[in-house]
Amino acid sequence: MDPLRLALAFGPLAVYLIAVGLLNLSRKPWVVSGGRESCALAIALAGMLTVGPIELFLPRAAATVYGAKAWAMIAGLYFLGATLLILLQRPRLTIYNCPTAIVRQAVGDVTRQLDGCATTVGDTYVLPNRQVQFHLDSVPVVRNTSLVSIGEHQSLDGWKALEARLADVLTPRSVTPNVSGTALVAVGVAILVLIGQRWVDGAVEIAKLIEQMLHTAG
């Protein structure tokens, strides 16, 4: 793989890994909505999909006629499709860098505050007056816990209230850094170093590729 394609494929993924690793290495929990999490993942995977299957099935005639504009149209189509999928997703919240026991206690307290009729069965929570139902899905190794919605009838206002209240409760807490974040940061940095090395070694090749792309676009 040439240096330019290598950077396009793995550069966004490396930045994503470093960002998630730094979240886990911080000293406070982070509450992230499912939409924002999916959006970040879509951006991280955009390069790999573009250089991989999208480039493989890109019509050669379109690339010849439109040049670089064809790639712009493909990118626009990808992000429109990703946006549609994100909007169609069921509500979800993810808490980074927080032990499951703390999350479970905070969720129990917050659900009772938001809805006096809230019920809990194991890790399943139902807030009938808020039209919110979810269960906890935890990954103890990386200290991440997700609140995954159950059922079709969900209130977005109820989920927004749940997110805001959990952020108010969990964000001020101080926790020990999650050592698993070190591995994510290390992998991301290693990828960036590899990309940088390939760019230095293939500077002439990259210049020719960019010149060729600009010439085709013109």
Side-chain angles (χ1 to χ4, degrees), residues 82-156:
T83 301
L84 177 61
L85 291 177
I86 291 171
L87 292 175
L88 292 176
Q89 282 183 342
R90 292 181 180 178
R92 188 180 77 257
L93 296 176
T94 299
I95 296 94
Y96 288 95
N97 191 36
C98 190
T100 304
I102 295 178
V103 174
R104 187 176 287 110
Q105 180 181 358
V107 169
D109 294 340
V110 167
T111 52
R112 286 190 293 270
Q113 293 172 9
L114 290 176
D115 189 343
C117 297
T119 58
T120 305
V121 179
D123 283 338
T124 300
Y125 299 78
V126 178
L127 287 69
N129 295 328
R130 292 280 185 168
Q131 294 186 340
V132 172
Q133 305 91 34
F134 62 90
H135 73 272
L136 296 183
D137 186 9
S138 61
V139 185
V141 176
V142 292
R143 291 202 314 199
N144 291 351
T145 303
S146 294
L147 280 63
V148 184
S149 60
I150 303 173
E152 297 291 340
H153 303 290
Q154 303 283 341
S155 169
L156 293 180

Side-chain angles (χ1 to χ4, degrees), residues 2-8 67-69 71 198-200 202-218:
D2 62 70
L4 184 58
R5 284 184 172 82
L6 182 67
L8 290 175
K69 295 179 182 178
W71 288 106
R198 290 294 302 276
W199 271 68
V200 172
V204 176
E205 182 182 357
I206 294 170
K208 290 182 179 179
L209 285 172
I210 295 176
E211 182 180 357
Q212 183 180 2
M213 291 175 61
L214 292 176
H215 178 72
T216 304

Side-chain angles (χ1 to χ4, degrees), residues 31-42 86 89 92-93 163:
V31 181
V32 180
S33 68
R36 290 196 294 269
E37 186 180 35
S38 297
C39 182
L41 185 59
I86 291 171
Q89 282 183 342
R92 188 180 77 257
L93 296 176
E163 178 184 0

